[in-house]
Amino acid sequence: MIEKLTAVLPDLAPWRSSRDFRLLWVQGLVTYLGSVMALIALPLQIKELTGSPLAVGAMGAVELVPLVVFGLYGGALADAVDRRKVIVLTEVGLGLLAVVLLLNALLPHPMLWPLYVVAAGVAALAGLQRPALDSLLARIVPHEQLAAAAALNALRWQAGAIGGPALAGLVVAYAGNVPAYATTVVCFFASVLMCRRLSPVPPVEHAAKPSLRGIAEGARYAWSRPVLLGTYAVDLAAMFFAFPNTIFPFLADELDADWSLGLMYSAGAVGSLLLSLTSGWVSRTRRHGLLVVFGAAGWGLAMAAAGWTSNVWLVLACLGLAGAGDMLSGLGRSTIWNQTIPDRLRGRLAGIEVLSYSVGPQLGQVRAGAMAGWTGARPAIWSGGLACVAAVGLLAAALPKLISYDARTDEDARRRAGEGTATTPDREDAGAGR
């Protein structure tokens, strides 16, 4: 019985073997707990100032261009400089933007335009930072532990995503935006201190300087790999059609359940957590493309059901199922990326990855907000879910190599396994990352 239980529990090997992985895990949890306060307070503040679903959804449009431009540049930058420096400096910038939100909230009459400016700034800094973060994993974790590391990172995200939104909803509802933004400032300050303790992660030898030519090289590599292309396309389609988070305040209004807003934001994380807590089997899975497709289709079906039902408890249950589907797809994507991409291109490909899983939600916010203003929140959600399922099915048919991907036979995965990926030695002394 104990052996069966151990087989499905998360694999803790990356936590035991890598000091930097442990440090990043804790830092990411602190950052998420702080940033989720702002992520919920910001759309609510725009809703209070305008009362318009379109104005809330416009956040996605404001964030789109900075995310695309700086995400691609951030990928090239991550291949050319010490990735730790990129992470530290962008974390400082995100903390300063949190200070701007706090100061604006303290005004007798908070202004609307700084909220959009900060949203654009956060998108730009996140675009710069995420390729460095995402490309770091394969440098600090052995190749055979990458799937387990992805599951542990997912578990960390869920721990924050469950408690964070529920807590943030209560804080904003009963204490206002100021305490929420103040919490964000404190968490980013703590995160910067932890990031400074990471070991240096210098670029590979003879790394090229960031350039359009280098970005184009990464794009050509991705385009030449149908498996990678499939992971990007499936995730982009799923998020564009079925990412309704920004209209949750209006869905809560339609269901006459304002108390449920924080639970709506955290329900998906509950489903993700339940999947991650039984993710031990992921380390033994080799058909990760199937995880990508079935997880994304499950996300869309659950979102369609969430929009169709008028019972708030069923809505929350469906959002939980959607989160489980999204996590299943995410584990497949992350593992494929880390198993197949060469280190010299990892930053630039991480920049493309940022676009695949970030641009989709931004466009999805615009789509959901515009449609909710026309049809109401519920039709905007269920129609998007059905469109997601259809799009994933078409992409799976068009890219059969994604479905047939097998880590044991894929040439890129076997090549990376032969090379080894954890090239930065782990340092257990406390001052190693200073």
Side-chain angles (χ1 to χ4, degrees):
M1 180 66 181
I2 294 178
E3 292 181 357
K4 291 181 179 180
L5 181 62
T6 303
V8 299
L9 289 177
D11 184 353
L12 298 180
W15 180 273
R16 292 191 293 265
S17 66
S18 174
R19 167 192 176 271
D20 282 340
F21 179 80
R22 294 192 297 271
L23 195 57
L24 275 178
W25 198 95
V26 176
Q27 174 269 333
L29 179 61
V30 171
T31 297
Y32 189 86
L33 287 172
S35 61
V36 74
M37 290 282 182
L39 288 172
I40 289 181
L42 192 58
L44 278 174
Q45 192 173 16
I46 294 176
K47 176 179 179 287
E48 292 169 358
L49 293 174
T50 66
S52 167
L54 183 59
V56 176
M59 280 178 52
V62 169
E63 294 166 340
L64 181 58
V65 173
L67 187 61
V68 171
V69 174
F70 287 93
L72 291 173
Y73 181 77
L77 190 67
D79 282 337
V81 302
D82 188 331
R83 291 167 187 170
R84 183 188 68 166
K85 292 182 179 179
V86 176
I87 294 169
V88 171
L89 291 176
T90 50
E91 202 76 355
V92 170
L94 290 167
L96 292 176
L97 290 176
V99 172
V100 173
L101 289 175
L102 176 60
L103 294 176
N104 183 61
L106 288 169
L107 294 175
H109 302 286
M111 296 178 288
L112 178 62
W113 66 266
L115 304 183
Y116 289 112
V117 171
V118 168
V122 168
L125 290 173
L128 285 174
Q129 183 187 79
R130 285 311 299 257
L133 274 173
D134 291 349
S135 60
L136 193 60
L137 186 64
R139 294 284 292 272
I140 63 176
V141 173
H143 183 89
E144 65 275 9
Q145 296 177 9
L146 287 172
L152 289 175
N153 278 341
L155 189 62
R156 175 200 65 194
W157 174 82
Q158 291 137 14
I162 291 172
L167 178 62
L170 292 174
V171 170
V172 173
Y174 294 102
N177 296 319
V178 172
Y181 294 142
T183 302
T184 303
V185 172
V186 171
C187 287
F188 272 107
F189 176 76
S191 175
V192 169
L193 295 180
M194 283 185 279
C195 287
R196 285 173 55 85
R197 298 186 60 222
L198 290 169
S199 302
V201 188
V204 297
E205 190 176 359
H206 306 305
K209 294 181 179 180
S211 65
L212 291 176
R213 182 177 180 179
I215 294 172
E217 181 186 3
R220 285 195 298 270
Y221 180 87
W223 187 261
S224 69
R225 299 303 193 271
V227 174
L228 288 178
L229 196 62
T231 65
Y232 302 144
V234 167
D235 189 46
L236 186 64
M239 294 298 103
F240 173 73
F241 288 113
F243 188 80
N245 289 28
T246 54
I247 60 172
F248 281 167
F250 300 93
L251 177 61
D253 286 346
E254 289 187 16
L255 297 175
D256 194 25
D258 292 342
W259 55 268
S260 68
L261 180 59
L263 296 178
M264 287 182 184
Y265 281 110
S266 60
V270 173
S272 298
L273 176 63
L274 293 176
L275 184 75
S276 293
L277 288 175
T278 57
S279 63
W281 58 273
V282 174
S283 298
R284 301 184 296 276
T285 298
R286 299 294 179 265
R287 299 292 299 279
H288 301 104
L290 290 175
L291 303 186
V292 174
V293 172
F294 288 137
W299 156 270
L301 280 173
M303 280 297 181
W308 188 261
T309 182
S310 59
N311 183 291
V312 65
W313 294 108
L314 289 178
V315 169
L316 294 173
C318 290
L319 292 177
L321 290 174
D326 186 43
M327 181 50 55
L328 184 64
S329 183
L331 288 176
R333 292 194 309 272
S334 178
T335 304
I336 289 173
W337 294 340
N338 283 309
Q339 283 181 342
T340 62
I341 298 172
D343 192 64
R344 66 182 184 84
L345 293 172
R346 197 171 295 280
R348 279 164 283 182
L349 270 293
I352 297 175
E353 291 159 17
V354 168
L355 300 188
S356 78
Y357 61 67
S358 298
V359 170
Q362 309 311 320
L363 293 175
Q365 290 183 78
V366 178
R367 185 210 67 82
M371 191 164 183
W374 176 41
T375 66
R378 289 176 58 202
I381 294 172
W382 67 255
S383 62
L386 293 179
C388 166
V389 176
V392 170
L394 290 173
L395 288 169
L399 296 166
K401 286 191 176 182
L402 176 62
I403 295 292
S404 63
Y405 173 84
D406 190 319
R408 295 165 296 188
T409 58
D410 183 83
E411 291 184 4
D412 289 325
R414 293 177 65 186
R415 189 178 299 116
R416 299 289 84 73
E419 294 172 355
T421 53
T423 57
T424 301
D426 188 33
R427 306 180 184 181
E428 289 297 333
D429 57 290
R434 297 177 187 173

